[in-house]
Amino acid sequence: MFRYFVLGFVCCVYAFYQLGTFPSGWSLVWLFAGLVSGWAIFRFARLKQPVNHVLIAVISPIIIGLLFGYIWVFSHSFLTDRLPNAIYFKPVTVVGKVVDLPQVTVLTEKGQASRVKFLFELQRLTEESSKFDQAWSFWQPTVQLSWYDAETVPKSGEVWRFQIKLKPRHASLNPGAFDYETYLFQKGVQGYGYVLDKGVAPVRLSEAGVFGLRNELADHLQRLFAESPFQGVFQALIDGDKSDIGAEDWRIMQRTGTIHLMAISGLHIAIIAGLGFALFGWIWRWGIRWTNWAWWWHTPKIVFASWGGILMATLYMAMAGFSIPTQRAWLMVVTVLLFVLIRRKFQPWSALALAAFLIVLWHPPSVLSQGFWLSFTAVAIIFTVLRSPTVQRAPGWQKLLWIQLGLTVGLAPALGGYYHQIALGSFLANLLAVPFVSLLGLPLLFLTVLVSFVSDTATHGLMWLNDQLWSGLWWALQWISDRLGFWVIGQLQAWQIVLLYAVFFWTAGVRTVDGQKRKWLGGVALVGLTVVFLWHPFKPVLAPGEFRVTVLDVGQGQALVFETETATVVYDTGARWSDKMDGAKLALLPYLKSQNRSTLELLIVSHSDSDHAGGVASLLQDMAVTEAVSGQAKVLNQGLEQAVFQPCRNGQAWSFSGVRFEILSPADSLPQPTNDNDASCVLRVTNGVGTVLVPGDLTERMEKPLVAAYEDELQADLLVAGHHGSRTSTSQAWLNAVSPQEVVFSSGFANRFHFPTETVLKRLEAQGIPWRNTACRGAIQYKITLDSERIHPSSLHFVNSARQARPRWYANECEAFAETRDKAGQ
C-alpha cells in the first residue's frame, strides 16, 4: 500500500508544478471533497470482490497520497518566501553567505578574476528608495551573483556585504530546449545579478568557519590536478565542481551517453558507500581479533559496516557541498543501507518508494529535475533486470552485461523525451566506462587524494597512473564518438513515454502460475516501443507551398528557423557566451532535433557580429549544411577550419517546396556598407501569398536606399525588426514600405540596451501594428499558408509562443515588473 501512496504523492506534486496559475486555498477543499466523494461512491457500491479488493488496496492509498501531496506542496510553495518585485533592477545592499564553490572564469596577470560566479544565500536585503529592509533567519532566499574584475575570490561559507543589482529569475524558453528557468527554480534560485563596482564596497564580514575545510580541499585539488589533462574530470568526480571540464570533453561524453559519470550521482555515492562498508567490515574483523570490548562483540558486523557506509556517503556529500542533486543521491543510497542496518529483508520496490517519498518530502521541486526521473528509472530498470530468472542464473560478468543492456534500452525513451536523440554508442561506451569508473577510476582517485596529504613522491606516481588509465578510456570514448553519433527521433509526447514504461514494467511483472513470463507480452512491448519511437500523430505537417517560421529566444541575439514541407533554412545562430554555451546549443539544435530535422538546406548568417554568428561553429559541428551564405563570409570563414560561407548578394534565390527565399541586400546598386550591421543579408521569404522580411541588423542608413530601389518588393506580412528594435533601425519610411501586419523583436530580457526602444514602439503603435517580443514571450512561431482571402483575411497565422504553450505559475512574466512591462507586446 505504501508504494501506491508514494505514487499518488509524487504524481500530485509533479502535477502541481505544471499548473499555469497558483491555486487558491479553496482548491484544497474542492480536491478533498471530489476525491472523497469518488472514493465513497466506489467504496460502497456493490462491486465484485476482486474489484473491491483492488479499490481498497490500490485506489485508497493513491487517493490518500494525492491529498497529502497537494497539502504538502501547496504549503511548501505558499510558505516559501519570495523576494518582492520592487527590489529588482535597482541597487540593493545585501548581507549573506556564499554557498557552493565559486566558479572563476579567468585569472588576470595581476591575480584578479575577470568574473566570479557564485550562489549567495541572503541574510539581509536593503533597498533605500522603496524603504525595503528585510532580514531572514530561516528559509533564506538564494540568488546567483557575478562579480566582475574581483580583487579577491569569495570562499564557500564566508559572509559578505555587497551592493548588487538583481534581475528576477527569467531565462530563454524554446520548444524542445532545456528549461533553464525551471532549473533555477528547483535549485531555489530566485534571481540573478552582479556586484556593483561603485557605491558600497564589498566587505567580508566573517570567515568560512567549518566550510573552510571544503575550500581548502578545493584549493588542494586544484594544485593536485593542475598538470593533468583531465583536471576538470577529476575535480568533478571528487568534489562535484564541473566548471573546468572543457567543451570538447563535454561533447565526447554527450555523444557517448557517458555524461552521467561526471555528476556525483547515486552510482558514485553507492561506490563510496560500498568502500566504506568494506572498510568498516575490515575494521570490525580487526576489532574482534584484537580487542575485548563488549560493545564491539555485541555489534553485528553488518550493522557496523552499514554505519561505515552511511558515514562515507555523508562525507562524500559534504565534499560536494550538500548540493540538491547530491542530497537526492545520498537519500537513495542511505535508504538501501537502512534496510540492511535494521536487518529487514530488502524489498527493492519498497526501498525505491521510500527514497522517492523522502526526497520529494524534503525538497518538492525535485520532481522538476531530469536527474530525479532518470535516477529512479535507472534503479527501477536494474531491479527489474535482476528479477529475471535468466539473469539470476547467469554468472556475475553476464549480469553486468544484462544490466547495462537494460539501462541502455530502458533509458532510451526518457533520454529521447528530454533530448530528442539517442547516443548510438551509449551501450558500448558505458560498457567500458561504468566498470572503469566504478572499480578502478574513482577508487584510485580517492587513494591519490588521500596519499597526497602524506607523500609527494607517491602522489606523483599515482597521478601518472591516473592520467595513463584515463587517457586509455578517453581514447576509446573518442573512437566511439567519431564513429557512432546520434539517432535523432524528434519530439516524443509524454503519453508515448508513459505508455512504453507502463508496458515494459507490466511485462516484466506479470507471470503465469509456473513462473514463466507470458510469451505474447514480448510482442506487446515491441509494439509499444514502435509506437513511442516511430509514431508522431500530433506532429504538424506542412503542405506544399506552406512554411513555418520560428523566431527563437536566444537572449540579446537572433536565430530563426524556416521550415517547408521538405527543407529547413536557418537565419542566424544566436550569440556565443562561452566555450560551452552559444545560441545553437541553447535553442537551435534542440529545436531542430525536436522537429526531427537533421539537415539544413540553407544557412544564412546575416553578418559576423557575435550575437548573430556566435553559434555557427556548434551548428556546423552537429548539423549537415548543404549551402551557407553570409554578408561577411570572409570574416566567418577565418574562424572555421575550412571555408564554408559564400557571400550573399542581391539576386540569389532558392526555392523549396514552392517557397522562395531571396536576398535583397547587399547589392552593387546600393551604397557599400560602412559597418558590420549594414553588411547584413536582407532576406525575403514568400510563397506567393504571404511574405516574411528579415533585415538582420540593417540600419536606417541602408533602409532608405532599399526603400528607393525595391519599394514594391519590400511589402511583407511579418517583419522581424532590424537590430533587435534599436532606434537606428525600423525607420518610418521602412515601416511604410514594408507595411507589416505584425512585427517580431528578438531581444534579451531586461537587456542593457533597453531594446526594443520606445522610439520604435511608438512608431508601431501610431500605425496600429501589433508586435511581439521573444524576451517576454519566449520563442514565437508563425505559419504562412496558401489560404484564399475569402476564407482567411491573411495567410499569416500566429501559432503560439513558448511561454503561452508552457505556462507555469512560478515563471516570472514581464508584466509583473515595471522595468519590463512595456516591453512585453502581445
Side-chain angles (χ1 to χ4, degrees), residues 54 100 138 140 146 188 193 204 247 268 277 300 473 484 563 620 743:
V54 170
D100 210 351
F138 303 98
Q140 296 171 338
S146 294
R204 182 192 290 112
H268 299 81
F277 189 93
L473 174 65
L484 298 172
E563 298 167 85
L620 293 175
V743 173

Side-chain angles (χ1 to χ4, degrees), residues 732-753:
Q732 189 63 58
W734 181 257
L735 276 178
N736 292 338
V738 177
S739 186
Q741 295 180 23
E742 290 196 26
V743 173
V744 172
F745 295 99
S746 179
S747 65
F749 175 77
N751 61 84
R752 61 191 178 96
F753 306 104

Side-chain angles (χ1 to χ4, degrees), residues 143-155:
V143 296
Q144 182 176 281
L145 296 180
S146 294
W147 188 359
Y148 296 93
D149 299 323
E151 296 180 359
T152 183
V153 177
K155 294 184 177 181

Side-chain angles (χ1 to χ4, degrees), residues 325-486:
T326 311
Q327 292 176 24
R328 289 200 304 265
W330 180 85
L331 279 170
M332 291 182 69
V333 172
V334 169
T335 299
V336 174
L337 287 174
L338 285 176
F339 273 83
V340 178
L341 187 64
I342 62 179
R343 286 177 286 178
R344 288 192 59 184
K345 180 181 178 181
F346 181 69
Q347 301 174 7
W349 301 110
S350 296
L352 198 64
L354 178 60
F357 176 72
L358 293 175
I359 289 171
V360 179
L361 190 71
W362 174 254
H363 187 65
S366 292
V367 296
L368 298 173
S369 168
Q370 296 178 1
F372 174 87
W373 297 103
L374 291 175
S375 296
F376 278 96
T377 303
V379 176
I381 291 170
I382 292 174
F383 287 162
T384 302
V385 170
L386 291 177
R387 287 185 62 194
S388 169
T390 303
V391 176
Q392 290 176 350
R393 292 192 298 267
W397 66 273
Q398 289 186 11
K399 287 179 179 174
L400 293 176
L401 288 177
W402 278 110
I403 289 174
Q404 189 54 56
L405 180 61
L407 289 173
T408 301
V409 176
L411 288 177
L415 293 171
Y418 283 130
Y419 307 116
H420 325 300
Q421 60 187 13
I422 302 297
L424 296 176
S426 174
F427 174 72
L428 179 58
N430 280 282
L431 201 59
L432 297 173
V434 171
F436 173 85
V437 173
S438 305
L439 304 177
L440 184 59
L442 191 57
L444 183 60
L445 269 179
F446 268 94
L447 177 62
T448 304
V449 173
L450 292 175
V451 172
S452 68
F453 292 102
V454 179
S455 170
D456 292 339
T457 303
T459 301
H460 181 76
L462 287 172
M463 281 303 304
W464 177 87
L465 180 59
N466 275 291
D467 289 342
Q468 296 304 309
L469 293 173
W470 280 88
S471 294
L473 174 65
W474 229 250
W475 177 87
L477 295 181
Q478 179 73 66
W479 187 88
I480 296 171
S481 171
D482 292 341
R483 286 157 181 79
L484 298 172
F486 292 112

